[in-house]
Amino acid sequence: MNPLELARLVRLRPRPAPPQSYDDFRRLARGRLPRVVYDFVEGGADGEVTLRANHEAFDRVNFTASSLVDVAERDAGATVLGRRLEVPFILGPAGLARLVHRDGELAAARAAASAGTVFVISTASSYSIEEIAAVSDGPLWFQLYLWRSQEVVAQLVDRAEAAGCEALVLTVDVPVIGKRERDLRNGMSIPPRIGPAQALEALRRPRWLWHLASGPPVHFGSLVDLVPPNTGMAGMGAYLDRELTDLSKTWDDVAWLRERWDGPLLIKGVISAADARRCVEQGADAVVVSNHGGRQLDGLPPALDVLGEIVAEIGGEAEVILDGGVRRGADLVKARALGAAAAMGGRAWFWPLAAGGEQGVARMLQILRADIERTLALLGRNRYENLDAGILH
């Protein structure tokens, strides 16, 4: 075959279809990330029973539909804590996005702003609160833990307020870090070490290596100033293990934070009606029903399965947001029908980020919104916010 014939064949080869779903983005990301990083994002705790159950719970919920309804006008948006969201999916807190793309949280925050939804800055973000706020003109929330030191918590809260974050998201289900067996088997570390076992796989992914090498160091951007100068990632990791883990924290510490922060307060990691009631008693404005994406205590029920009982317990007193397992716009519709104001997630934006950076995250949000609008039309409903259990079989 001469060069002209070869060139002609190359031009005739069809371009790959753009991703259409969560699974498409995940497959693309799997091809671009070394296994150690892919497993870090995808993996759950222990036997990953809860991780699988989060997805399977949505598959068990069925719709019923009404035909010959005027659905020419449809609204996929929602109002959460007084803020209009054009797509009712919040980019939830997930740390170290620099591991999958050079721009990490910066790209995701810009995409969220363009789509008209919230980006939640994780305490463990690769870029600092201030760096993320500088590139986003959309709504930002800040996620934090009850650290051993109240002074550290107060510093982070003050920085979030100064950066314009509209709400705090307090994560309460990490008294210790869950056992993530994939990471232990892979020898996962921050930053990732590329030893002999990982070298060949990493070399097969030159784009990922370029993203890793060309950007700033992989670290916890908001925490650099909290540790002694020139502390490496190993020292920072030891600091976090020591300061983040405090088994003595109680609901009284939540009361302290409520007094310290004047804006909306969400409590994330609630999986029972009893804890949801305690959240309301401590002044929470919203509860995030979550099992931490199956990454903490394995064997917890799927977040969707307990959503209804939590809504029944505190509905009308605090807003309820679902976290975990969302892959499609239809999943968001199901969550709304069961009482959630909206939903959030981490992997659902990590895979598009790994696959296509800011454009990938933007496309994911476009797909979710289009999914909701199409699902509304097929259900015979006009507004996402007006959905209730009447659409469920």
Side-chain angles (χ1 to χ4, degrees):
M1 182 180 297
N2 64 48
L4 288 176
E5 291 173 325
L6 180 60
R8 182 170 174 268
L9 284 175
V10 169
R11 286 197 302 271
L12 290 175
R13 195 170 80 179
R15 294 181 180 180
Q20 300 296 327
S21 69
Y22 174 98
D23 286 332
D24 286 350
F25 284 117
R26 183 170 57 83
R27 281 190 290 268
L28 285 171
R30 180 64 187 94
R32 296 185 180 185
L33 299 174
R35 179 172 181 172
V36 63
V37 175
Y38 175 85
D39 280 355
F40 173 71
V41 178
E42 174 69 0
D46 299 297
E48 301 186 344
V49 174
T50 298
L51 172 64
R52 294 189 297 272
N54 274 345
H55 293 306
E56 292 166 355
F58 283 97
D59 296 338
R60 292 195 300 269
V61 177
N62 296 318
F63 290 126
T64 187
S66 299
S67 300
L68 295 177
V69 177
D70 182 356
V71 288
E73 299 292 332
R74 299 177 308 284
D75 183 1
T79 300
V80 178
L81 296 174
R83 161 72 72 168
R84 162 77 180 186
L85 306 184
E86 297 303 323
V87 56
F89 182 78
I90 295 161
L91 275 64
L96 294 172
R98 268 276 292 116
L99 285 174
V100 304
H101 191 277
R102 182 181 188 276
D103 295 335
E105 295 86 1
L106 304 181
R110 288 192 295 260
S114 297
T117 192
V118 172
F119 179 78
V120 186
I121 303 173
S122 168
T123 289
S125 290
S126 325
Y127 291 93
S128 70
I129 302 169
E130 294 78 9
E131 289 173 314
I132 296 169
V135 303
S136 172
D137 58 1
L140 298 172
W141 297 350
F142 179 66
Q143 175 271 333
L144 78 164
Y145 303 94
L146 287 173
W147 292 56
R148 187 180 300 272
S149 166
Q150 281 190 350
E151 181 182 354
V152 169
V153 177
Q155 289 180 29
L156 290 170
V157 169
D158 289 346
R159 288 172 62 187
E161 183 177 16
C165 293
E166 297 180 0
L168 285 184
V169 180
L170 174 65
T171 299
V172 295
D173 58 354
V174 191
V176 295
I177 301 296
K179 182 185 179 185
R180 297 164 195 170
E181 295 179 5
R182 295 199 205 195
D183 293 346
L184 295 173
R185 287 192 293 265
N186 293 334
M188 176 62 184
S189 63
I190 305 297
R193 290 190 298 268
I194 302 176
Q198 297 87 20
L200 181 58
E201 190 177 7
L203 289 172
R204 289 174 176 168
R205 290 162 176 82
R207 181 183 305 190
W208 176 79
L209 282 174
W210 179 84
H211 277 280
L212 187 69
S214 62
V218 177
H219 61 192
F220 303 107
S222 295
L223 307 181
V224 172
D225 295 338
L226 300 177
V227 299
N230 302 317
T231 299
M233 276 301 294
M236 187 178 292
Y239 173 84
L240 293 177
D241 287 343
R242 182 177 68 252
E243 294 297 323
L244 183 58
T245 302
D246 187 350
L247 301 179
S248 68
K249 294 300 182 183
T250 68
W251 290 99
D252 291 338
D253 297 285
V254 177
W256 170 84
L257 181 64
R258 177 68 281 182
E259 293 178 3
R260 189 74 175 68
W261 172 258
D262 292 331
L265 174 66
L266 301 87
I267 298 183
K268 178 178 179 289
V270 177
I271 207 70
S272 72
D275 272 2
R277 172 54 55 192
R278 294 187 184 98
C279 293
V280 171
E281 291 170 351
Q282 296 298 337
D285 300 284
V287 167
V288 182
V289 181
S290 172
N291 53 39
H292 215 97
R295 293 168 70 83
Q296 282 297 100
L297 176 61
D298 202 21
L300 286 173
L304 189 72
D305 283 1
V306 299
L307 174 61
E309 64 189 66
I310 290 175
V311 170
E313 176 68 29
I314 63 168
E317 299 178 70
E319 295 186 25
V320 179
I321 296 171
L322 179 76
D323 169 63
V326 170
R327 293 164 293 175
R328 300 177 182 276
D331 295 340
L332 292 167
V333 169
K334 292 174 182 179
R336 177 61 187 168
L338 291 169
M344 67 168 60
R347 294 182 184 92
W349 65 266
F350 251 62
W351 299 139
L353 177 67
E358 181 178 345
Q359 291 182 342
V361 180
R363 176 162 178 78
M364 178 271 294
L365 290 168
Q366 291 168 358
I367 290 171
L368 288 178
R369 182 172 179 174
D371 280 354
I372 293 171
E373 292 178 347
R374 182 176 55 256
T375 303
L376 287 173
L378 293 169
L379 287 171
R381 296 297 186 101
N382 299 94
R383 292 176 56 83
Y384 176 85
E385 286 198 306
N386 292 344
L387 296 173
D388 55 30
I391 66 168
L392 302 180
H393 179 70

